[in-house]
Amino acid sequence: MIAVFYVKKNTINKLKIIMSDSFIGEIIGGKYDFRAKIGAGGSSVVYLAKKLNSNERYAIKTLSTDEKNAIKLLEREIDTLKRLNHPHIVKFIDYGYEEDHRLVYLVLEYLDGQDIKSYFDGGIDLKTKLSLFLQIIDGISHAHGKDIIHRDIKPDNIKVVDIDEEPEAKVLDFGIAIITTTLLTNTIRSYHTPLFSAPEQINLEGVSRDSDVYSLGMTFLYLLSTQSERIRFQDKRHKNILYQSAKEVLNGYENSQDLIEKFKSATEKEREKRPRLDVLRKVVADFLEILSETKI
C-alpha cells in the first residue's frame, strides 16, 4: 500500500524520512532504549523500545523534522490523542522531541499480533470476522465522537491481538495523519493511501467522518474478498472487483446481500449517500446475530 503526500511547489519539505536502523541501541528521551525497527512507511519509522529500569515495551513512532517548534505545534493534536481511550484503539502513552536528532517521537502501546489481512488469511470463521468488524467500527465511532478523523483507514492500520485467548482488533495510526499534516502545514496538503481513500480526499476537497466511512467500506470489502481478487483490485484499482468478490464469498449465507450492499453504499462517491457508522454497525450486528441463531 502506498501512502501519498501532496506537496506544494516551490517549498522545502521539512520532513526527513528515517529509513535506516540508525537509532537502534540509543536512548531516546532519556528513558526509551531502542531495540529494533519493526515498521516503516510514508513519513515515519516504528521502533520497539524498552523503558529503562523496567520490563515495559513500547512501539515508538518517529518522525524526523527540522521544525524547531515541533512540540509546541503538536500540543493541541497530542492533547486530542490523549483523549482517545478505547479498547480497540492503540493506546497513546507519551511523546517528545529529541533535539540531538531533531526527532519527534510518539510512544504507543506495543501490540504483539498481526495485521488483520494476515489474520484473516490464516483461516478464521465468518462470525469472528464480523465480530472484529464491530470492534473496528466501535473504535472509529469513539474517535469520531471526539471529533478525530483517522484519514488513513486500511488493513495495514488494523492489528489483531489475542487478549484472554480472544481476538481483538486494534486500530493504529490515529495520530500520524494529524501530526504529519501539522508539522508540514506549508508543504503537505493530504496524507492517505489511494486504494482505500475517499474521492474527496484524493481530490484534496477535505476530509470528514464520511471519508473514514468510505475507507471502512473499502477495507471490509477487501478483507472479505479472495486473495486473487485483491491482487486484481490492486492492479485495476476498481472497487467493483472487491464488491463482486465479497458477494460471491458470502453467497451461501442467508441475508448476506444486505451486508454487502451496505458495505458497497459506504463507498459511494457522494458523501451524503454513505451510511452513518451506527447504520453500518447495525447491519453487521444483525447479520452476526442471524449467523449465531442458525449455528453456522
Side-chain angles (χ1 to χ4, degrees):
M1 310 309 173
I2 302 172
V4 172
F5 293 84
Y6 288 92
V7 183
K8 294 180 181 179
K9 294 181 179 180
N10 301 320
T11 58
I12 298 175
N13 190 341
K14 296 180 181 178
L15 186 69
K16 294 179 180 178
I17 302 174
I18 314 164
M19 295 305 290
S20 70
D21 301 329
S22 59
F23 297 119
I24 294 177
E26 295 203 31
I27 307 300
I28 300 298
K31 55 184 173 181
Y32 299 110
D33 181 5
F34 278 36
R35 296 295 183 89
K37 187 171 78 171
I38 56 177
S43 64
S44 63
V45 172
V46 183
Y47 293 90
L48 171 64
K50 180 179 176 294
K51 190 174 182 179
L52 295 181
N53 303 316
S54 79
N55 292 320
E56 297 173 11
R57 294 188 300 168
Y58 299 104
I60 300 187
K61 189 175 292 289
T62 60
L63 300 98
S64 182
T65 176
D66 288 332
E67 177 53 69
K68 295 181 180 179
N69 297 316
I71 293 302
K72 186 174 182 180
L73 288 173
L74 296 178
E75 284 179 350
R76 184 176 65 179
E77 281 72 21
I78 294 296
D79 286 343
T80 299
L81 292 177
K82 286 178 179 177
R83 292 190 290 113
L84 284 177
N85 182 22
H86 194 275
H88 302 302
I89 296 177
V90 64
K91 292 179 182 177
F92 177 84
I93 308 295
D94 192 10
Y95 74 107
Y97 180 72
E98 185 74 14
E99 189 170 353
D100 289 346
H101 301 296
R102 296 180 180 178
L103 187 75
V104 169
Y105 61 90
L106 309 175
V107 183
L108 309 166
E109 70 171 316
Y110 174 68
L111 301 174
D112 189 8
Q114 59 186 142
D115 68 87
I116 196 167
K117 174 186 175 296
S118 299
Y119 185 78
F120 274 36
D121 289 348
I124 59 171
D125 60 89
L126 182 57
K127 291 179 185 177
T128 301
K129 293 178 180 179
L130 294 175
S131 294
L132 290 170
F133 285 173
L134 289 177
Q135 294 174 14
I136 295 164
I137 293 172
D138 288 346
I140 300 298
S141 295
H142 172 77
H144 284 185
K146 296 182 179 296
D147 295 323
I148 302 174
I149 301 167
H150 191 288
R151 292 176 169 84
D152 196 29
I153 297 170
K154 58 184 177 181
D156 287 348
N157 277 339
I158 303 168
K159 261 195 172 183
V160 179
V161 298
D162 284 329
I163 299 180
D164 297 329
E165 298 185 354
E166 291 293 330
E168 292 203 10
K170 296 274 189 175
V171 183
L172 316 178
D173 269 6
F174 258 101
I176 197 63
I178 302 170
I179 288 171
T180 301
T181 303
T182 300
L183 281 179
L184 305 172
T185 301
N186 296 322
T187 59
I188 291 180
R189 299 176 58 195
S190 182
Y191 171 71
H192 63 270
T193 304
L195 288 176
F196 299 93
S197 298
E200 66 270 12
Q201 193 168 3
I202 294 173
N203 296 331
L204 307 180
E205 296 170 350
V207 297
S208 64
R209 293 179 180 85
D210 298 324
S211 306
D212 277 354
V213 169
Y214 183 101
S215 297
L216 271 179
M218 290 296 296
T219 295
F220 291 166
L221 288 172
Y222 180 89
L223 291 171
L224 290 175
S225 297
T226 64
Q227 181 65 22
S228 61
E229 292 304 275
R230 290 177 192 162
I231 294 173
R232 197 159 76 90
F233 162 67
Q234 290 175 249
D235 180 45
K236 301 294 184 180
R237 295 175 178 259
H238 199 297
K239 64 184 182 184
N240 279 343
I241 293 173
L242 298 182
Y243 167 67
Q244 291 297 335
S245 179
K247 184 178 178 180
E248 290 172 10
V249 167
L250 298 188
N251 187 45
Y253 294 93
E254 184 180 355
N255 296 322
S256 64
Q257 186 65 24
D258 290 342
L259 180 76
I260 299 301
E261 287 296 333
K262 193 61 66 177
F263 286 168
K264 184 183 180 184
S265 68
T267 67
E268 287 283 352
K269 181 178 180 180
E270 293 79 16
R271 304 187 200 206
E272 61 274 11
K273 292 184 178 180
R274 299 171 200 160
R276 299 187 312 273
L277 275 180
D278 60 335
V279 174
L280 205 60
R281 191 191 193 288
K282 186 177 187 304
V283 74
V284 176
D286 287 348
F287 187 59
L288 180 57
E289 184 177 356
I290 291 172
L291 287 181
S292 299
E293 289 175 351
T294 55
K295 297 181 172 22
I296 292 178

